[in-house]
Amino acid sequence: AGIPRGADRAAVRRGSFVEGYQGRPCEGGGFGRLHAKRAQRELGAHARMIRDARLIAVDVNTGNDTSPASGLKASLAAARDLPRQLRLRGMGGIVVIDLAPCPKRDRHVVEQVLSKAFRADPGEANLAGWTPLGNFELTRKRDRPPLAAWLNA
């Protein structure tokens, strides 16, 4: 799959783990960076945020890192950055996170990091927990119109 046609790979903002894609090509700077679909980290770990009419899907992958702790490292990095990314984009609603593969015994660590990150976020969030398939679900109240609405106005 990769980055959709028209998206600028160079527009992905460094220092941020999760990036979203709203169906528009990137302009290469400024607010266009918030439309990038994928953000890469060390050794190729990345996360994708896709907004649909019904929910926001976040997919976290380890990339080329095959170390035993790579899934946990990628999941924790995404968990720390997710509230900020949702706030910047004005996104709210149902959020389903498909975290990188990690042992079930480490799920509580990821849940604690998510809980701490959303407590520090000014938006209201309700962490629903783990699904039988290993995804994490939460809801977040949208506190302003989505970024895409501002850019399209």
Side-chain angles (χ1 to χ4, degrees):
I3 297 176
R5 206 170 349 153
D8 182 2
R9 291 175 189 266
V12 176
R13 187 170 159 263
R14 297 182 194 271
S16 174
F17 193 78
V18 177
E19 293 294 336
Y21 176 69
Q22 304 292 328
R24 291 184 37 179
C26 295
E27 280 87 39
F31 289 113
R33 294 176 180 169
L34 292 174
H35 289 287
K37 182 177 182 181
R38 176 175 157 167
Q40 283 199 245
R41 299 298 275 186
E42 304 81 25
L43 299 173
H46 62 274
R48 295 179 181 174
M49 181 185 293
I50 301 170
R51 187 173 138 229
D52 186 29
R54 293 165 294 283
L55 59 86
I56 299 164
V58 180
D59 182 26
V60 181
N61 296 303
T62 60
N64 298 332
D65 190 355
T66 58
S67 66
S70 62
L72 183 59
K73 287 190 297 187
S75 295
L76 293 177
R80 286 184 196 103
D81 199 32
L82 183 61
R84 179 176 159 269
Q85 296 298 327
L86 292 172
R87 186 178 65 252
L88 285 174
R89 290 172 177 76
M91 292 178 152
I94 299 171
V95 181
V96 178
I97 309 167
D98 180 14
L99 294 159
C102 62
K104 283 187 177 183
R105 67 177 183 267
D106 292 333
R107 284 185 179 179
H108 75 282
V109 176
V110 176
E111 191 169 355
Q112 287 175 348
V113 169
L114 275 168
S115 178
K116 182 179 178 183
F118 276 100
R119 269 196 310 268
D121 187 55
E124 291 179 39
N126 178 22
L127 297 141
W130 297 94
T131 67
L133 294 176
N135 297 325
F136 193 86
E137 293 182 334
L138 62 100
T139 60
R140 182 182 185 278
K141 183 178 179 183
R142 190 174 55 156
D143 49 1
R144 63 179 177 83
L147 180 65
W150 287 76
L151 294 176
N152 292 332

